[in-house]
Amino acid sequence: MKRIALFLLTNLAVVVVLGIVANLLGVNRYLTANGLNLGALLGFAFIMGFGGALISLLMSKPIAKMSMGVQIINEPRNQDEAWIVQTVRGFADRAGIAMPEVGIYQGEANAFATGAFKNSALVAVSTGLLQGMTREEVEAVIGHEVAHVANGDMVTMALIQGVMNTFVVFLSRVIGYAVDSFLNRNNENRSGPGIGYMVTTIVLDILLGFLAAMIVAWFSRQREFRADAGAAQLMGRKQPMINALHRLGGMVPGEMPKSLQAMGITGGLGKLFSSHPPIEERVAALQARAQ
């Protein structure tokens, strides 16, 4: 419930802020007496689409800490924590990025990386992952997350989400206006968009949103293949990552908020909407690598 409440409150705050910005810039007045102002609509769609994605990106690290209950390792309290910090530092040095924050959270097997910038990221692993894997397998998973950071995947996915959001907002309103104009073509007393515009816009926001989610999920799956390969490169061999994936295939994956799923080691269900490829496809891709 805490994660759901935090998700709803965050999104409500983002929508309110973006609505105020759109109003101040005047781009929310794209419906005029002379028709649809495409320039203003594009500005409105850009603000709502990219604004939401970029604000979510900038808030990703503190939200992740709160929603997942991540305990940051400032001073290692035991050998396991010292080993995790040392492993992350070693991979960060090899990848040429600044040392990320390192954390542990309670939960089933999973791990994630987040943060708006590659030199101020967060890498967190779950207690379930540490308890259910060998150290070499955990090391491979950490390498996978550091590879996400080094590849700039958080920014890339935010930009892709922003583009998709912008197209959804823009196209749904253009098509909605066209449908409404067709339905009211013989109405000389028409003073503005009617029920046809509102209904069509709402329906298309949902339908195009699903299509956008499929496209974003496809890009996310490609980044997973790249992060798997990055882990193999950081470790100097691919077998530990293959072993870790096999192990994950037999474990119950830990759930994470939607905003973090793309940067985890395991992801959602459903082929078209899954943020992660099937384990067998990831293993096959690694086995096909030369190293």
Side-chain angles (χ1 to χ4, degrees):
M1 289 299 297
K2 175 184 175 182
R3 295 178 189 175
I4 295 174
L6 189 59
F7 174 79
L8 293 175
L9 288 174
T10 301
N11 280 272
L12 178 61
V14 169
V15 170
V16 170
V17 169
L18 294 179
I20 293 173
V21 172
N23 183 62
L24 291 174
L25 295 177
V27 293
N28 62 335
R29 295 183 284 274
Y30 51 84
L31 290 171
T32 69
N34 298 322
L36 198 63
N37 185 329
L38 293 179
L41 176 57
L42 184 59
F44 175 79
F46 182 85
I47 289 173
M48 300 304 291
F50 270 96
L54 294 179
I55 290 175
S56 296
L57 175 65
L58 292 172
M59 295 175 62
S60 61
K61 194 160 67 167
I63 291 296
K65 291 178 182 179
M66 287 187 288
S67 63
M68 300 302 294
V70 176
Q71 295 182 342
I72 300 299
I73 306 175
N74 293 314
E75 291 292 337
R77 297 168 297 181
N78 51 55
Q79 289 185 345
D80 286 338
E81 291 189 356
W83 175 80
I84 294 170
V85 171
Q86 183 181 3
T87 300
V88 173
R89 180 176 287 111
F91 283 146
D93 289 342
R94 288 178 222 171
I97 61 173
M99 176 65 178
E101 283 190 280
V102 183
I104 297 178
Y105 64 96
Q106 297 289 328
E108 300 293 340
N110 219 324
F112 67 86
T114 191
F117 309 101
K118 67 170 60 179
N119 287 322
S120 60
L122 165 67
V123 173
V125 296
S126 71
T127 53
L129 191 82
L130 297 173
Q131 294 164 3
M133 285 188 165
T134 66
R135 276 206 170 186
E136 185 179 66
E137 291 164 352
V138 174
E139 186 178 2
V141 171
I142 293 174
H144 173 99
E145 300 306 332
V146 171
H148 270 312
V149 177
N151 293 337
D153 288 342
M154 290 80 77
V155 174
T156 298
M157 293 307 301
L159 292 177
I160 292 171
Q161 185 69 64
V163 171
M164 292 297 103
N165 291 346
T166 300
F167 273 109
V168 168
V169 173
F170 184 79
L171 290 178
S172 66
R173 283 149 182 78
V174 169
I175 297 173
Y177 188 84
V179 170
D180 190 72
S181 296
F182 176 78
L183 295 175
N184 292 280
R185 60 191 183 281
N186 296 321
N187 184 2
E188 296 181 357
N189 296 321
R190 177 189 177 194
S191 59
I195 189 69
Y197 172 82
M198 290 185 287
V199 171
T200 303
T201 298
I202 292 172
V203 171
L204 286 177
D205 274 342
I206 295 172
L207 295 179
L208 292 175
F210 275 114
L211 178 60
M214 290 166 56
I215 295 172
V216 172
W218 182 87
F219 276 102
S220 176
R221 292 194 293 272
Q222 307 316 303
R223 308 304 289 188
E224 286 305 308
F225 286 124
R226 188 177 179 190
D228 287 343
Q233 184 175 0
L234 288 171
M235 293 192 72
R237 53 199 182 99
K238 60 188 178 183
Q239 195 57 47
M241 191 68 231
I242 292 174
N243 294 342
L245 289 171
H246 278 308
R247 181 84 66 178
L248 285 168
M251 302 172 76
V252 177
E255 294 184 4
M256 292 193 297
K258 185 177 182 296
S259 60
L260 296 177
Q261 287 176 0
M263 295 304 116
I265 187 67
T266 61
L269 301 175
K271 177 69 174 177
L272 293 178
F273 294 97
S274 176
S275 59
H276 290 61
I279 293 292
E280 57 270 19
E281 290 185 15
R282 295 170 68 179
V283 169
L286 278 172
Q287 289 175 333
R289 283 177 56 86
Q291 188 177 19

